[in-house]
């Protein structure tokens, strides 16, 4: 299949998953700073870009995180790291899902990983996904703790927020369009810091 057909198919699949939202100049600048162009990353790693596109379309590697306004497929710089750690693309799904005790949860997380929408993490690994889930749940529940608003509680809360801050990139306006609202950074970091400022 010619490269243009694969690239077009991948763009169509990306829009099926994310919707068809415009990328602004600011979105492009953010994405170019945070992510790698698929062709360039493949060249660095000695991989064929078309073969990687096929793996994405076959749901064996995640879709690009973004399509830049010039059509460039933007992917994490460590796109191939998990497959390498798993022992190859053919072993990746089993290796990935085994990180969750519940197979249903593992499969759901695998599908989320394949969507390419884990742009909420600097490095998308099972451990980072699990830690993010733990942190966002703990931050969301913090206001209901018995010692809420005490000095010790505030210290605990800000430790959680700071850890989540270190895991997550800044996000861009495009993310708020495709996710249909605020990001976890908006709700669990920025809003919490504004509502419960450090003394």
């Amino acid at each position: 299949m010619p490269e243009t057909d694969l690239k077009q198919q991948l763009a169509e699949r990306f829009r099926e998953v994310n919707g068809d939202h415009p990328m602004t100049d600011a979105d492009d600048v953010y994405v170019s700073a945070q992510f790698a162009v698929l062709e360039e990353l493949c060249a660095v790693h000695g991989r064929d870009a078309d073969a990687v596109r096929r793996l994405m379309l076959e749901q064996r590697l995640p879709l690009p995180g973004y399509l830049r306004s010039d059509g460039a497929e933007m992917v994490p710089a460590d796109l191939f790291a998990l497959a390498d750690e798993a022992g190859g693309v053919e072993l990746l799904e089993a290796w990935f899902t085994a990180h969750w005790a519940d197979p249903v949860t593992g499969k759901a997380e695998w599908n989320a990983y394949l969507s390419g929408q884990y742009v909420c993490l600097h490095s998308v690994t099972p451990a980072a996904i699990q830690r993010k889930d733990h942190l966002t749940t703990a931050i969301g529940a913090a206001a209901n703790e018995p010692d809420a608003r005490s000095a010790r509680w505030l210290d605990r809360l800000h430790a959680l927020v700071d850890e989540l801050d270190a895991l997550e990139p800044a996000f861009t306006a495009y993310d708020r369009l495709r996710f249909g609202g605020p990001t976890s950074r908006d709700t669990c970091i920025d809003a919490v810091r504004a509502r419960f400022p450090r003394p």
Side-chain angles (χ1 to χ4, degrees), residues 94-110:
W95 176 88
F96 186 99
T97 56
H99 285 80
W100 282 268
D102 173 24
V104 174
T105 303
K107 183 66 174 175
E109 291 294 352
W110 171 250

Side-chain angles (χ1 to χ4, degrees), residues 104-177:
V104 174
T105 303
K107 183 66 174 175
E109 291 294 352
W110 171 250
N111 290 333
Y113 170 69
L114 288 178
S115 76
Q117 292 186 338
Y118 264 123
V119 296
C120 55
L121 292 167
H122 286 296
S123 182
V124 183
T125 65
I129 292 167
Q130 290 168 339
R131 192 62 189 156
K132 184 203 166 190
D133 286 347
H134 170 79
L135 291 167
T136 54
T137 300
I139 291 165
N144 299 320
E145 290 175 4
D147 62 342
R149 297 180 185 269
S150 70
R152 286 184 63 188
W153 175 87
L154 203 57
D155 286 344
R156 287 198 313 272
L157 177 64
H158 280 281
L160 295 170
V161 171
D162 290 348
E163 187 180 348
L164 184 62
D165 189 9
L167 285 177
E168 291 198 343
F171 292 98
T172 189
Y174 171 84
D175 293 316
R176 294 171 182 90
L177 293 176

Side-chain angles (χ1 to χ4, degrees), residues 3 7 12 20 31 35 50 54 71 73 76 83 108 121 127 134-135 141 144 148 161 185 190 194 199:
E3 176 187 342
K7 193 162 183 172
E12 288 169 1
D20 194 2
V31 168
F35 291 79
D50 279 351
R54 282 191 194 92
E73 301 131 325
L121 292 167
H134 170 79
L135 291 167
N144 299 320
V161 171
R185 172 168 287 280
D190 298 340

